[in-house]
Amino acid sequence: MLSLNKKISIYLILFSSLIFSYLLGENSSGGSKHDYFATQKYIEVFQIDFYSGFELFRDSNELHFPFFYLIIGNISKITGITFIHYFYLIISSLIPLAFYNALKKKFLNINNDSLFFLSILIFFSPYFRSSAVWLTTDNLALLFFVISINFFLKIELENKTFFKNSLLCFLFLVLSSYIRHYYAIFFFLYFYISYNKFSLSKNLIIIIFNIILSIPALFYLNFITKGKSFSEPFYFLSGDFIFNFLFLGSLFLFYLIPFLINDFVPRYFKERFSLKKNIIFLTIILSVLIISFYTLPNFEYGGGVFYKLSKIYYINIFYFFSILGCLIILLLMDDSFKNYLIFLILIIIFPLTILFQKYYDPLLYIVLFTLMNSNFITKLIFNNKIKISFVAVYFLFFLIFSNIYYM
């Protein structure tokens, strides 16, 4: 059992590694450094003039809302940009703490050492680290989202729910959406749970509350679409959800691999296979149809780890990784409308031409352990079946490899 002092020491060491990475200019995600220099112009314009910043953002056809750069620009006028960088390292380091708090709500009466270990793995994410170092919007949006998960779990799991938890849950979800708009789609998941927990009048208040919070976003959308055709501001959208499905399956496989290396898994898979024969059969049929009639796009960039590995030898091997990941997640996750809704959200959340793994990391890992329900994960943690050293080495190797790859 780790003492509180030991946990604090481990956390501070990992936080110190972020400072070290900042001083070295770590760019393990590949694109964060480029994004930082590309968005510097927005910070500089917002330092000078509010309206000009919005105009520049609109004319540049930027994908996200400008509010992050508006805040950074105005604060940096007073403190200087160096202070902002160090302060953002602190802000980013709150994500593992918020995740740890969510895990303690999700897994009651379970050894906190395991939960602490799962939370600090966030520090090994190359995308988390790059966002912290290069001041990109990802980490602030993710922090707000994880805080919203904490309030969401209070609503979902506590027998005595408090309406204020629901309002706070949606408040932080909206805040995350103002930084990264795609988090807004989790409204459907949150409202699905609140709808079943609260009366019609309270659910009506929740809807009105969200509409009021969304008014600035609606004004901004009107501003950027003024004088343009409907499709012009949304040039980045793509309808290739088949690849999104395959991409998501490969990512599930990637993040689950280190947790599947133990003697508990074969027995559990055998039990679940007998219970889920029909849905597994349907998944296999769907997979055969996809392989037969769908042609994988050949992207120069993006696609995730397994996509890049497949391109080295033979791109169609990517089907194997994707379908295996989908079958594993079906076997591990409980059968519930909530789980299928989350899976659907994760498929459609990024309707983009090219998908990068950074969009889902560490979001997918956090969603897997907090929002999705899995008796397998609960038993894994409760029975202390996670091989901590192996999991740590796995994700540490991923971080090292990412740094080497993008160096």
Side-chain angles (χ1 to χ4, degrees), residues 17-132:
S17 73
L18 284 183
I19 299 175
F20 186 66
S21 292
Y22 169 67
L23 296 173
L24 290 178
E26 179 184 332
N27 185 37
S28 48
S29 73
S32 295
K33 183 177 180 179
H34 171 270
D35 292 344
Y36 172 72
F37 287 111
T39 56
Q40 276 290 94
K41 58 186 178 183
Y42 305 126
I43 296 174
E44 292 168 359
V45 172
F46 275 121
Q47 286 176 336
I48 300 168
D49 181 63
F50 175 87
Y51 188 76
S52 297
F54 278 90
E55 282 190 322
L56 177 62
F57 220 81
R58 177 193 61 191
D59 296 340
S60 301
N61 287 325
E62 278 293 339
L63 179 60
H64 305 293
F65 288 123
F67 303 108
F68 177 83
Y69 305 103
L70 172 64
I71 295 168
I72 297 298
N74 282 275
I75 295 177
S76 61
K77 278 196 300 188
I78 303 169
T79 64
I81 196 66
T82 301
F83 171 83
I84 296 294
H85 275 287
Y86 281 105
F87 186 66
Y88 199 60
L89 294 178
I90 296 172
I91 292 292
S92 298
S93 70
L94 297 178
I95 294 173
L97 294 180
F99 182 38
Y100 179 45
N101 202 37
L103 288 171
K104 287 193 291 184
K105 291 182 178 69
K106 176 80 171 183
F107 303 102
L108 295 173
N109 304 317
I110 288 181
N111 181 4
N112 278 346
D113 287 355
S114 298
L115 304 183
F116 174 73
F117 164 73
L118 289 173
S119 68
I120 62 171
L121 284 176
I122 299 292
F123 280 106
F124 293 169
S125 163
Y127 310 102
F128 161 81
R129 298 181 69 85
S130 293
S131 177

Side-chain angles (χ1 to χ4, degrees), residues 60-64 181-182 221 224 230-240 349-355 359:
S60 301
N61 287 325
E62 278 293 339
L63 179 60
H64 305 293
H181 61 275
Y182 49 76
L221 287 174
I224 65 170
F230 178 77
S231 61
E232 195 175 342
F234 308 104
Y235 67 94
F236 52 84
L237 296 181
S238 168
D240 192 359
I349 193 173
F350 298 112
L352 306 174
T353 305
I354 301 176
L355 291 177
Y359 297 156

